[in-house]
Amino acid sequence: MTNQVSPRQPRMSRRLLSHSHHSAKTSEFSRGQLRIRGNTPRPGIRVLTVIGELDLATAPLLDRVVRDSESTPAMVVDMSEIGFLGFAGVDVLVRAAERADHCRRRFAVVVSTRPTQRVFELTDAYARMWCFPRVDIALCAVTDSGS
């Protein structure tokens, strides 16, 4: 009689927020099949980990979270846990990279899985933003470029 899938997701999000083990500032946002976990591992650097499906319906959430994080001098968007990436999601990232460039902020994207690589190959996204295969490399790039 009850749908177990729908009630489970909000409880999981609350549990993750209330039991955060990160010493850095963390936050979590979700909409449909998309979850975004944000943390600040070091002052001035924001890492957004995007999990699930990023499509036309969920891209506005990523846009809002990225815009809310643009006060930091450097941002890394980790796409390594994406199961599906639509063109709307790539558009959000391209526009964010353009804004960062215009404001002299550092912006990098982790593109490491086949779903993200394929969409980035079909667009000119690789040419329009810094892309790295791992978070640690992206963090080094946004840190070193500010020195």
Side-chain angles (χ1 to χ4, degrees):
M1 284 191 193
T2 61
N3 183 350
Q4 294 179 359
V5 174
S6 180
R8 188 179 83 212
Q9 187 178 24
R11 270 190 239 129
M12 182 176 82
S13 295
R14 276 187 233 121
R15 188 178 321 124
L16 288 172
L17 283 172
S18 64
H19 291 88
S20 177
H21 297 290
H22 298 283
S23 59
K25 179 183 171 189
T26 62
S27 54
E28 188 161 320
F29 310 89
S30 64
R31 179 181 199 174
Q33 298 296 315
L34 182 70
R35 197 168 83 222
I36 303 170
R37 185 175 50 239
N39 72 49
T40 306
R42 288 177 247 163
I45 299 176
R46 186 76 170 153
V47 177
L48 301 176
T49 303
V50 185
I51 305 158
E53 297 180 6
L54 182 54
D55 56 20
L56 188 59
T58 58
L61 175 64
L62 178 62
D63 187 53
R64 181 175 59 90
V65 173
V66 167
R67 285 179 184 274
D68 288 348
S69 299
E70 287 179 344
S71 61
T72 59
M75 185 184 321
V76 173
V77 179
D78 178 8
M79 305 290 283
S80 62
E81 296 186 49
I82 284 289
F84 174 81
L85 176 61
F87 293 119
V90 175
D91 187 53
V92 168
L93 296 170
V94 167
R95 286 184 284 121
E98 290 170 350
R99 287 191 308 273
D101 187 49
H102 180 72
C103 296
R104 298 186 193 277
R105 284 181 282 106
R106 296 171 307 279
F107 182 84
V109 180
V110 175
V111 181
S112 60
T113 63
R114 193 66 196 133
T116 54
Q117 291 168 344
R118 182 168 174 108
V119 176
F120 271 60
E121 288 168 359
L122 293 172
T123 64
D124 63 346
Y126 277 120
R128 300 181 74 184
M129 67 188 88
W130 282 358
C131 297
F132 299 93
R134 295 189 335 240
V135 174
D136 60 333
I137 298 171
L139 283 171
C140 286
V142 298
T143 302
D144 291 343
S145 67
S147 303

